[in-house]
Amino acid sequence: MKKRLLIRATAAMLAATIGVVGAAQPASAAPRQAPAANASAMAFDWIGAIVAVAGALYGGGGGGGNLDAAVQQIMAAIEASEANILNHIDAIASAEVKACARAHAIEFSDINNMSTSVRQLWAQEATRCAALATAYLDAVTSKNSVDNLGHVIGEIYAIAIAARVKANLHNGVDLLLRDQVRSYEVVVAKLAPSCSEQRYVEYDTYGRVVTVEVHYTCVAYNGDQATDYELYYLGRLQGPPLNRDAVANSATRNTSRAIAIEALPRLRSALP
């Protein structure tokens, strides 16, 4: 009897090692991913453009041509993707945030035609709109509302930062960067998936542990899920350890949490 159980345990270990135990994925591979729902919104690298502005402002030299080029890149992207931006803005639940974000996205293309005084007032309003979006993220509890706003945080802050630079209001740009970081931190926290862990243990006839499988599954609010596992045989880990953060991130791959996770280290590195 003991021999049969040990043979069965060894077979289970080998099966798990090649990734055929249940529906679990091999520990070394990320769970299979569907095409990202936010692919069109990510066509332009809003975070890269914002980081370029910050680099020109705070990287030495006081800006100059590099700053103008970075701002012009944001302006061109807003104009080219205005319809797509407005579609995402229309999904925002807060009427006040939706109204100010939509107005600034539409009016941004005329910023070069504004007088200096009007441009400064407009930049201050764009700043207020970005701050309002962050405050709404802090207050709202609906995951769908957080997700919809999280998709356009990059665009809202890009408009506000570019507007302040165009209006020569450079002093507030660093504070906007910090607010954007905080916004994305809120998105990551509030869109965290629901995760559970299960352990499967097999014993020999003497009650000694032969194999232990630890399965970890996460489900995002939109129903997407990811799973992975690790296997121990006679107390020894077989293959890579379970990466719980990677499973959680994979489950939320089609939400704005994925945008925030990618953006945060880049924005933090740009802070003066």
Side-chain angles (χ1 to χ4, degrees):
M1 179 65 178
K2 174 183 176 183
K3 182 177 180 181
R4 285 199 299 273
L5 281 172
L6 288 176
I7 289 173
R8 186 158 61 91
T10 304
M13 177 199 69
L14 292 174
T17 302
I18 62 175
V20 296
V21 174
Q25 299 291 330
S28 59
R32 202 169 292 164
Q33 297 186 6
N38 57 303
S40 60
M42 291 296 289
F44 178 73
D45 184 7
W46 297 103
I47 304 305
I50 291 171
V51 169
V53 171
L57 271 177
Y58 307 118
N66 289 339
L67 181 59
D68 291 339
V71 171
Q72 186 58 43
Q73 185 184 30
I74 292 176
M75 294 177 64
I78 295 291
E79 186 173 353
S81 54
E82 182 178 312
N84 185 55
I85 293 170
L86 293 176
N87 286 337
H88 281 285
I89 289 173
D90 285 343
I92 298 173
S94 167
E96 191 174 4
V97 175
K98 182 191 298 184
C100 73
R102 186 176 181 86
H104 285 103
I106 292 171
E107 295 171 356
F108 189 72
S109 60
D110 287 324
I111 195 168
N112 286 329
N113 300 325
M114 299 175 186
S115 66
T116 300
S117 59
V118 170
R119 189 181 300 142
Q120 289 180 339
L121 290 172
W122 195 90
Q124 290 171 337
E125 280 300 305
T127 301
R128 189 188 73 83
C129 188
L132 191 64
T134 295
Y136 178 72
L137 277 175
D138 283 334
V140 73
T141 57
S142 164
K143 290 183 182 292
N144 187 60
S145 296
V146 171
D147 194 17
N148 287 334
L149 185 51
H151 279 295
V152 289
I153 281 294
E155 290 90 324
I156 290 173
Y157 272 86
I159 289 173
I161 288 171
R164 291 195 73 87
V165 172
K166 291 293 291 184
N168 202 31
L169 301 175
H170 296 178
N171 288 340
V173 172
D174 60 327
L175 298 178
L176 275 173
L177 286 171
R178 294 182 191 281
D179 279 356
Q180 186 175 4
V181 166
R182 187 161 64 86
S183 297
Y184 278 140
E185 288 172 343
V186 171
V187 170
V188 170
K190 290 193 172 184
L191 293 184
S194 174
C195 299
S196 61
E197 185 173 301
Q198 290 182 305
R199 291 174 178 264
Y200 303 94
V201 182
E202 188 167 6
Y203 304 85
D204 65 15
T205 54
Y206 295 101
R208 296 174 298 193
V209 174
V210 179
T211 62
V212 177
E213 289 183 31
V214 181
H215 290 247
Y216 193 70
T217 300
C218 292
V219 182
Y221 90 95
N222 63 354
D224 288 346
Q225 63 179 303
T227 186
D228 209 343
Y229 76 103
E230 63 186 7
L231 171 69
Y232 294 86
Y233 176 66
L234 298 180
R236 292 180 178 273
L237 179 65
Q238 308 295 310
L242 179 61
N243 187 334
R244 289 167 176 79
D245 286 342
V247 177
N249 294 347
S250 184
T252 55
R253 61 193 176 272
N254 290 323
T255 71
S256 59
R257 186 175 186 267
I259 299 173
I261 288 172
E262 192 275 336
L264 278 170
R266 301 168 67 192
L267 287 172
R268 286 171 180 147
S269 69
L271 291 173

